[in-house]
Amino acid sequence: MTSRRFSFALAAFLFVLTQLSAAQDFKKQVIYQIVTDRFFDGSTANDNPSQSAGLFDSTQTNWYAYWGGDLAGIQQKMAYIKGMGVTAIWISPTVDNENLNMNSGTPISAPYHGYDARDFMKVEEHFGDSSNSWTAFTNLVNAAHSNGIKVIVDWANNHSNYNASGEYGALYNNGTFMASDSNDPNGYFHHNPNISDYNDRYQLQYYTLDGLEDLNQENSTIDSYLKTAIHQFQSHGADAFRLDAIKHVTWGWEYSLANSVFNQSPSFLYGEWYNNNQYDPLYRDAYKFANKSGISELDFGLNTAVRDVFAGNNNFSEIDGAISAENLNFTWNNDLVTFFDSHDESRLLTLNNNNNRLHEATAFLLTSRGIPVILYGDEQYLHNDTNSGNDPYNRVWMSSFNTSTTAYQLIDKLATLRQSNDALAYGGFQQRWLNSDVYIYERQFFNDVVLVAINKNDSTGYAISGLYTALPAGTYTDYLSGLLGGFGLTVTAGSGGNNPANNFTLPAHTVAVWQSVATATSPEVGSIGPTVGQPGMTVTIAGKGFGAATGSVLLGSTAAAIQSWSDTSVTFTVPSVANGIYQAQLKNNAGTAANTIQFTVLTAQLIPVTFTVNNATPTSSGDYIFLTGSSIELGNWGTTFDTAVGPMLDPNYPNWFLNASLPAGATVQFKFIKIAANGTVTWENGSNHQYTVPTTGTGFVTVSWQY
Ligand code: NOJ
Ligand code: NOJ
């Protein structure tokens, strides 16, 4: 190899290394969601594998059958994916799925979507090969990584598979049978009825979701099985996970799942908590979970608003209100994962067959707050409107890979802007001008600014006056070069970050993007990931202007050991400091401090423990029992909804229980409190309870309320 080729190879290698080491900062990513079975058939050898023969429909007319898409197919389309500027792919659950027809008869119903696992230790034969080996997955990961693209695996560990036909929930450990719905001597499943009340916290976590055999994560065998399985995907190169149905998995246990993932290697986790919008009765539970567990969430609140506004004709104020509410409640709101289409909803073009609206919604998504997801095929204007385009008709076959569509070009431009202007990944969100059809908003991260103007009206232009911006005085061209009708803007000097823009008319269905990037003169912090972890865990702080020379990261007054330092990304080891909530402080080599960012230091790695308190009376409707205690995992004796652990569950009233994740090996003090409907707090009497958490497995502790 010539030295030039060598240095090129080295540079490419270092580039990939940098990309990978930043896995914990996902804010710069643009995610492309692929329903693996419906994307591209890269290998016909796995279309109809012998162990699950007959689930494939080569005619692609039965929407509930496998259609041939696979991991090799995604790999073969890597240039297409990369050319769109996206930097991460979210693929269907990849574990070995149910092998039998789930509809006892015809038409066939197959787990082509991946949400009916049978063996979490293996790769599905329709997606890989008939030995359920890792080969195809490894090949895909390598191809993605060498193109600077991260791989996000959909991870559905609430359940195994359908309990009333096919394999009846049967679960295997690397080929060895563990249990099924009717043969479960060790209690690996919950065996409760289907969830009927989606506002009942107990039913949500312990009942059955749509007939899907519900895993008992508090069983130590299942606990270690699921954690070992997800670690296997990590060791095979999965960079991140989309956690399916997190509202239905035991909430406390999920904290320990996240912790075990982060202990294994850098990652990013976001979960499906449907519906975490501000009007949901369990909204407080939804954001409490995101703020404490280390698991971010798919942003259903914004999803609803964007669909209402761009597909329906609702006013832009609906989007504006959704973002404001969420930004108040979600501590790391820039980590929310935003989307308007998904494999579970009819596509935007089904709701409103208007490509302009699709472009406008796409431009909005890629420039507004959060990490955007593009559903495969939106860039090709795919939709099938059978049955209003609902599941499975939204899981359209990817019939074209045209790189010249406006949508494909638009995604590429804005994904590129996300890399070059940190306002999109790390910035705040501010509305600058609003009426029912026009939304002008600004993203700002220190002196990096992106100003976006959208008029969604299909025929009416609007005169815009009185627009202010943080863009410095000067003239700006449309970053989209007129792709969606945009034009230049002139800004004159004002004061207090409010510089007047010239008046203009924003024509019908127009999007304009104006932006400015400044050189950082001091360190600017935009991200921390993970957001929780114990001493010894690896954490990444990202932003800009950190300088080339190593500086420091402080938790309280304790400096962390620095693992790597660059101008934009610093990796450190959580130092041995007392557990609690910190404002992590980065300083450059000269000692100049950046803005701080919140990080929670746990006491030790987490073990799931189920607490039961018997006979906690009296309580009346709206009162709840909570758990509180002596470490951050127990809320440090907090007595509010947000700080204490709970609400506890009372299917056996007046006994209450709850699973929580506690520090391995630690001896903790705890008590139970009643938080009444009116907020009044009543402590149980007596001295504190004490418990020593096991160092492995799962724990159980039962006490009686002390009168
Ligand atoms: C939500 C997924 O997104 C959906 O497609 C799936 O069927 C259910 N969870 C059950 O896993
Ligand atoms: C105050 C409570 O009143 C008491 O009951 C509890 O034991 C302590 N907090 C925790 O030490």
Side-chain angles (χ1 to χ4, degrees), residues 33 90 93 113-116 154 156 158-160 209-210 212 242 244-245 248 272 298 300 342-344 391 395:
Q33 185 193 355
W90 153 15
H113 41 67
Y115 295 105
D116 287 81
D154 201 324
N158 172 63
H159 50 264
S160 57
L209 175 65
D210 295 330
L212 295 162
R242 177 268 189 185
D244 185 61
H248 303 290
E272 176 209 23
L298 283 156
F300 283 95
S342 77
H343 64 305
D344 288 330
D391 163 14
R395 298 154 184 196

Side-chain angles (χ1 to χ4, degrees), residues 295-312:
I295 301 172
S296 189
E297 293 176 10
L298 283 156
D299 189 342
F300 283 95
L302 193 59
N303 172 272
T304 305
V306 171
R307 293 164 70 84
D308 287 351
V309 169
F310 287 98

Side-chain angles (χ1 to χ4, degrees), residues 628-629 637 639 669-671 673 683-689:
T628 187
W637 299 115
T639 57
Q669 312 279 316
F670 64 96
K671 263 197 169 181
I673 55 174
W683 288 79
E684 62 167 328
N685 279 318
S687 49
N688 298 332
H689 306 285

Side-chain angles (χ1 to χ4, degrees), residues 269-462:
L269 302 174
Y270 61 99
E272 176 209 23
W273 184 298
Y274 181 81
N275 182 349
N276 53 3
N277 77 32
Q278 60 185 306
Y279 308 108
D280 192 88
L282 298 181
Y283 179 56
R284 279 198 302 183
D285 300 78
Y287 68 73
K288 179 178 180 179
F289 184 89
N291 292 345
K292 287 177 184 278
S293 67
I295 301 172
S296 189
E297 293 176 10
L298 283 156
D299 189 342
F300 283 95
L302 193 59
N303 172 272
T304 305
V306 171
R307 293 164 70 84
D308 287 351
V309 169
F310 287 98
N313 277 312
N314 288 15
N315 296 348
F316 266 123
S317 57
E318 182 178 342
I319 289 182
D320 202 58
I323 293 183
S324 312
E326 292 173 346
N327 283 1
L328 279 179
N329 296 127
F330 285 89
T331 306
W332 294 279
N333 49 64
N334 276 326
D335 275 331
L336 285 168
V337 177
T338 54
F339 62 108
F340 58 79
D341 274 348
S342 77
H343 64 305
D344 288 330
E345 306 164 288
S346 52
R347 289 177 183 251
L348 200 80
L349 285 179
T350 292
L351 299 178
N352 185 348
N353 192 9
N354 176 337
N355 288 357
N356 288 329
R357 291 295 180 88
L358 180 85
H359 295 150
E360 293 151 16
T362 301
F364 171 76
L365 190 76
L366 290 165
T367 53
S368 66
R369 184 277 283 124
I371 303 168
V373 181
I374 303 291
L375 180 63
Y376 82 98
D378 272 0
E379 75 281 13
Q380 301 295 338
Y381 311 105
L382 284 188
H383 60 109
N384 179 301
D385 302 338
T386 311
N387 188 29
S388 305
N390 283 309
D391 163 14
Y393 301 100
N394 51 359
R395 298 154 184 196
V396 188
W397 183 250
M398 183 72 174
S399 48
S400 60
F401 292 87
N402 179 353
T403 58
S404 61
T405 68
T406 299
Y408 185 96
Q409 302 295 328
L410 176 67
I411 295 163
D412 182 32
K413 279 188 187 283
L414 292 175
T416 304
L417 182 60
R418 201 172 186 85
Q419 297 304 316
S420 63
N421 190 322
D422 283 348
L424 294 187
Y426 306 140
F429 185 98
Q430 189 186 356
Q431 183 244 107
R432 286 292 196 173
W433 208 100
L434 179 78
N435 73 17
S436 54
D437 288 330
V438 173
Y439 199 24
I440 305 181
Y441 54 90
E442 190 161 77
R443 307 295 313 285
Q444 183 177 6
F445 180 63
F446 294 91
N447 297 312
D448 294 344
V449 180
V450 176
L451 180 68
V452 180
I454 303 177
N455 176 3
K456 73 178 171 78
N457 193 293
D458 292 308
S459 51
T460 309
Y462 287 93

Side-chain angles (χ1 to χ4, degrees), residues 469-477 488-494 499-502 514-516:
T469 173
L471 286 166
T475 57
Y476 296 87
T477 56
L489 186 77
T490 301
V491 176
T492 53
N499 297 331
N502 62 284
W514 304 288
Q515 62 106 23
S516 155

Side-chain angles (χ1 to χ4, degrees), residues 16 71-79 81-82 89 135-151 236-237 239:
V16 169
L71 298 171
I74 300 172
Q75 188 187 334
Q76 288 169 29
K77 291 298 176 191
M78 200 56 69
I81 294 167
K82 184 184 164 70
I89 50 173
T135 308
F137 183 76
T138 301
N139 291 343
L140 171 64
V141 166
N142 289 342
H145 287 175
S146 63
N147 282 287
I149 291 174
K150 297 178 200 303
V151 177
H236 284 91
D239 300 289

